[in-house]
Amino acid sequence: MQLTDYEHGVVPLDQRKNWFSIAAVWVAIGIDLSGAFLGIELAAGMDFGSALAATMLGSLLLGLLAMCTAYVGASSGLSAAMISRAVFGKAGGAILALAISISLVGWFSVQAGFFGVNAQSAFSALTGFDIPVQVFVAVGGVLMVLTAFWGYRSINRLSALAVPLLLILLVVGVIVAFVTRGTDGLTAEVTPLFTFGGAVSLVMGIFILGVVLAPDMARWAKTPRQAMAAGFVGFFFGNSIILVVALLLARVLDQTDLMAMFFAISLGGAAVIVLILAQWTTNTTNVYSAGLAFSSISPKFRRRTVTAVLGAIGVLLGVLGAVDYFVPFILLIGTIIAPFGGVYLASFLAERRAARWAPGAAVARVESWAIAAWALGILAAFATTNPLDGPGFGWFTLTTISALDGLLVSFVAYLVLFGVRRMLSQNRTVTPDAPATEVAA
């Protein structure tokens, strides 16, 4: 089997994939247990109409942003970590690659925890035996790391198997729930726990890291246009499907445990198999991208070795209970990582023909202007986050969606700083014979 994933270079044309297969990977990533958990949380803390609207708006924004970030990945041929090197410089890119790796390992551990909790629930319902959740977390985490070890091709094959089964299960589950329980639960009153903007931020936060890291998959597309199509379909549908299904099932069945919902409508056995596949495809990609990011720090780091080490750390964190910090963690990811997407989008827009965007090109040690734009985006995201929704100050509001605020502010900040830098550079340029010419005149 081909083991290289071209982590330090460009994917050859004969290895590129069509848009549908790449979109399938992103749909498979989006249909996961963390999305189901968030859907259940929104169902318990918002009226159904508002929760549904927040889900669709957040997913639409993700799809549009993914079109942009996928275009950068497919056009440049670079992974997100190599893009960070081009934008932030060698040292700055290494710092960001480290931040991305840490975020992804943390997200991997949270997802492994979701897998363990639901696998334990299913196993107990099927057999009557109560095995510690840590066993399921460890076993599931190891399987996910093994798939990531083999690289994108294995992820692609797993997604091709999982997506049709996932869609069938979800559609059948909703139909059976409506037929057996009716729709009265959709109009039941709940105590409001989320603002609309906070809910949209959560919907985006659960997949915003995937949008920023879209180049990792988009660089496998045959053309930038195909990458954009895959990005929109993969992120809009991938993010919204599981959230909407979880919203519907939680309201109709009045349950807060996903596996219990499927067992309640006699689909427990099928759900066990299919949801295991769902979490497998999602979490494999987390540790895969973590390996790509960390290996970009130095050519001496091999992706497979790094993936194995980071995967082991993620499994350990999952066993120790990282899942308990789910909501704060996704909000923190959106606050810190989303502005990076704004910076590299602006950089590519302003300087796409610059030599540093070429694979393997020499770059400056640190691009302080880019780092400043990233910092401003992070500050904006914290400043616009309502303390009731997550870590933040609530000083003012922009779009009411803090993750999007950070990305937009960093995008604008980079373009402004780029203009200032270019103006200062032009002012420092003085032709040697200019003073002599003035004297002669």
Side-chain angles (χ1 to χ4, degrees):
M1 178 184 287
Q2 182 90 328
L3 292 179
T4 179
D5 266 50
Y6 312 103
E7 56 267 30
H8 298 294
V10 177
V11 178
L13 290 177
D14 63 347
Q15 296 292 315
R16 304 288 182 96
K17 312 296 181 182
N18 62 52
W19 76 270
F20 187 78
S21 68
I22 297 173
V25 171
W26 277 322
V27 170
I29 294 169
I31 301 176
D32 66 348
L33 296 175
S34 59
F37 179 84
L38 179 57
I40 294 168
E41 289 281 301
L42 294 179
M46 299 181 77
D47 67 85
F48 178 75
S50 297
L52 182 62
T55 296
M56 301 312 292
L57 177 58
S59 299
L60 176 62
L61 292 172
L62 285 174
L64 294 174
L65 289 173
M67 291 178 68
C68 301
T69 55
Y71 177 81
V72 174
S75 297
S76 67
L78 301 176
S79 67
M82 295 303 290
I83 287 173
S84 73
R85 185 176 182 273
V87 174
F88 292 95
K90 188 175 181 180
I95 292 172
L96 188 60
L98 183 61
I100 291 172
S101 298
I102 292 172
S103 297
L104 284 166
V105 170
W107 193 227
F108 171 85
S109 65
V110 169
Q111 296 274 14
F114 278 123
F115 174 87
V117 169
N118 283 274
Q120 181 196 45
S121 174
F123 187 82
S124 177
L126 289 171
T127 66
F129 292 105
D130 188 16
I131 294 178
V133 67
Q134 290 83 358
V135 174
F136 295 97
V137 173
V139 172
V142 169
L143 290 175
M144 296 160 191
V145 172
L146 286 174
T147 307
F149 180 86
W150 291 107
Y152 176 82
R153 299 168 188 82
S154 294
I155 297 171
N156 186 267
R157 294 189 185 99
L158 184 61
S159 299
L161 170 66
V163 168
L165 296 176
L166 288 168
L167 294 177
I168 291 170
L169 173 70
L170 296 176
V171 171
V172 171
V174 170
I175 292 173
V176 172
F178 280 161
V179 170
T180 58
R181 303 295 179 88
T183 60
D184 291 344
L186 299 181
T187 57
E189 293 186 5
V190 297
T191 302
L193 299 176
F194 303 101
T195 63
F196 184 78
V200 176
S201 286
L202 284 170
V203 170
M204 293 187 69
I206 204 168
F207 215 178
I208 192 68
L209 187 57
V211 168
V212 173
L213 300 180
D216 290 350
M217 302 297 172
R219 66 198 180 101
W220 289 85
K222 292 182 178 180
T223 66
R225 183 174 296 181
Q226 289 204 28
M228 293 173 72
F232 181 80
V233 172
F235 281 85
F236 175 70
F237 289 102
N239 195 64
S240 60
I241 290 171
I242 187 63
L243 281 164
V244 172
V245 169
L247 276 171
L248 291 170
L249 293 180
R251 283 304 196 98
V252 171
L253 300 175
D254 193 24
Q255 292 270 4
T256 58
D257 184 304
L258 186 66
M259 292 307 303
M261 293 179 195
F262 282 102
F263 276 102
I265 55 177
S266 303
L267 291 175
V272 171
I273 297 172
V274 176
L275 291 176
I276 283 175
L277 282 175
Q279 200 64 3
W280 193 346
T281 54
T282 299
N283 227 12
T284 284
T285 311
N286 289 327
V287 74
Y288 169 76
S289 287
L292 273 182
F294 199 92
S295 63
S296 74
I297 295 175
S298 170
K300 296 180 181 180
F301 295 154
R302 310 318 305 171
R303 185 195 64 80
R304 285 176 289 156
T305 303
V306 169
T307 298
V309 173
L310 294 180
I313 294 171
V315 171
L316 177 60
L317 291 174
V319 169
L320 293 176
V323 69
D324 296 334
Y325 304 96
F326 167 62
V327 171
F329 187 77
I330 63 172
L331 287 169
L332 194 61
I333 284 178
T335 301
I336 295 176
I337 301 298
F340 163 54
V343 174
Y344 79 68
L345 285 174
S347 176
F348 191 76
L349 176 66
E351 308 171 277
R352 61 175 300 177
R353 300 190 185 281
R356 57 196 174 90
W357 279 96
V363 296
R365 182 166 182 80
V366 177
E367 292 284 355
S368 56
W369 299 89
I371 293 175
W374 182 34
L376 288 171
I378 293 173
L379 178 60
F382 273 114
T384 60
T385 299
N386 188 323
L388 297 176
D389 294 327
F393 311 120
W395 291 339
F396 56 89
T397 59
L398 293 175
T399 66
T400 73
I401 306 166
S402 57
L404 183 60
D405 291 339
L407 190 148
L408 292 176
V409 168
S410 64
F411 179 87
V412 173
Y414 184 90
L415 292 179
V416 171
L417 292 173
F418 173 74
V420 171
R421 180 179 62 177
R422 185 164 57 179
M423 183 176 64
L424 292 175
S425 178
Q426 290 173 346
N427 290 341
R428 284 196 299 265
T429 304
V430 180
T431 53
D433 60 344
T437 302
E438 291 173 2
V439 171

